[in-house]
Amino acid sequence: DTEVTQTPKHLVMGMTNKKSLKCEQHMGHRAMYWYKQKAKKPPELMFVYSYEKLSINESVPSRFSPECPNSSLLNLHLHALQPEDSALYLCASSPFSGYEQYFGPGTRLTVT
Amino acid sequence: GNSVTQMEGPVTLSEEAFLTINCTYTATGYPSLFWYVQYPGEGLQLLLKATKADDKGSNKGFEATYRKETTSFHLEKGSVQVSDSAVYFCALRGYSTLTFGKGTMLLVSP
């Protein structure tokens, strides 16, 4: 089973809202990733967790706050977002950091 | 630093035509190379991979060979189907992250 699940599938939020994106994998992978993808562009790496510890933060604004409660779960907490943050947010996992990554279907976020 | 260059799209083909999408890379050492496919409205799916020079990755009729001498990893398929219409991303593995090309859109008409 190479499935990564993400919820919700779609999210519309105002600039003052607080919301969270959730990602789950049950493949025993020890690395998990958040990406942001704008239309017609490749994914941009935001965060990498390895063994449940944040190992890479690609200078992402503090209005995005990642959390890895356990080895299967990855959350992305959103607060005070801007309209330009509207994008597809993709989660991925890999057996270990640096191995091939398996992506979830993404959450389509619209900030109004 | 690492970089991946893909041919510009869209690539427009008729069903059963032969497909080539070019990908070249710049990297130190010999990175692992990947092709990912993204269907409309979906996430990325790992299509195939190669981990060392002369390796051939293959899946669902698609193939790509890791060419060290030309630093290339071109994607090929002998006979495309309408269902192959998607965006294809070439990527290389750095120390702990992926470097993606800009993506190539493939449109296949009946």
Side-chain angles (χ1 to χ4, degrees), chain B residues 65-86:
Chain B
T65 301
Y66 190 139
R67 301 286 188 200
K68 182 180 66 173
E69 61 278 7
T70 54
T71 61
S72 65
F73 192 54
H74 305 322
L75 183 68
E76 296 181 336
K77 187 177 186 185
S79 175
V80 294
Q81 305 299 311
V82 172
S83 57
D84 293 326
S85 297

Side-chain angles (χ1 to χ4, degrees), chain B residues 7-39:
Chain B
M7 59 191 291
E8 294 277 336
V11 173
T12 304
L13 295 172
S14 298
E15 206 165 25
E16 299 184 2
F18 184 85
L19 168 71
T20 300
I21 299 178
N22 291 338
C23 170
T24 57
Y25 68 90
T26 301
T28 53
Y30 304 107
S32 294
L33 300 172
F34 307 92
W35 277 101
Y36 283 87
V37 58
Q38 186 172 32
Y39 297 101

Side-chain angles (χ1 to χ4, degrees), chain A residues 12-32:
Chain A
V12 179
M13 60 186 291
M15 289 189 284
T16 58
N17 291 157
K18 285 185 181 180
K19 297 286 185 183
S20 296
L21 309 185
K22 180 180 171 181
C23 172
E24 197 163 4
Q25 58 87 14
H26 294 287
M27 295 178 278
H29 289 176
R30 302 317 302 265
M32 296 185 77

Side-chain angles (χ1 to χ4, degrees), chain A residues 83-96:
Chain A
E84 59 264 28
D85 296 321
S86 298
L88 180 68
Y89 287 83
L90 294 164
C91 174
S93 71
S94 63
F96 303 98

Side-chain angles (χ1 to χ4, degrees), chain A residues 47-74:
Chain A
F47 303 104
V48 180
Y49 273 84
S50 180
Y51 287 89
E52 299 149 56
K53 292 191 181 344
L54 183 64
S55 61
I56 294 178
N57 176 341
E58 292 286 5
S59 303
V60 178
S62 60
R63 57 186 184 267
F64 295 92
S65 175
E67 178 196 21
C68 189
N70 59 56
S71 60
S72 301
L73 268 178
L74 186 64

Side-chain angles (χ1 to χ4, degrees), chain A residues 4 17 41 50 64 81 95 111:
Chain A
V4 176
N17 291 157
K41 298 289 187 183
S50 180
F64 295 92
L81 294 192
V111 181

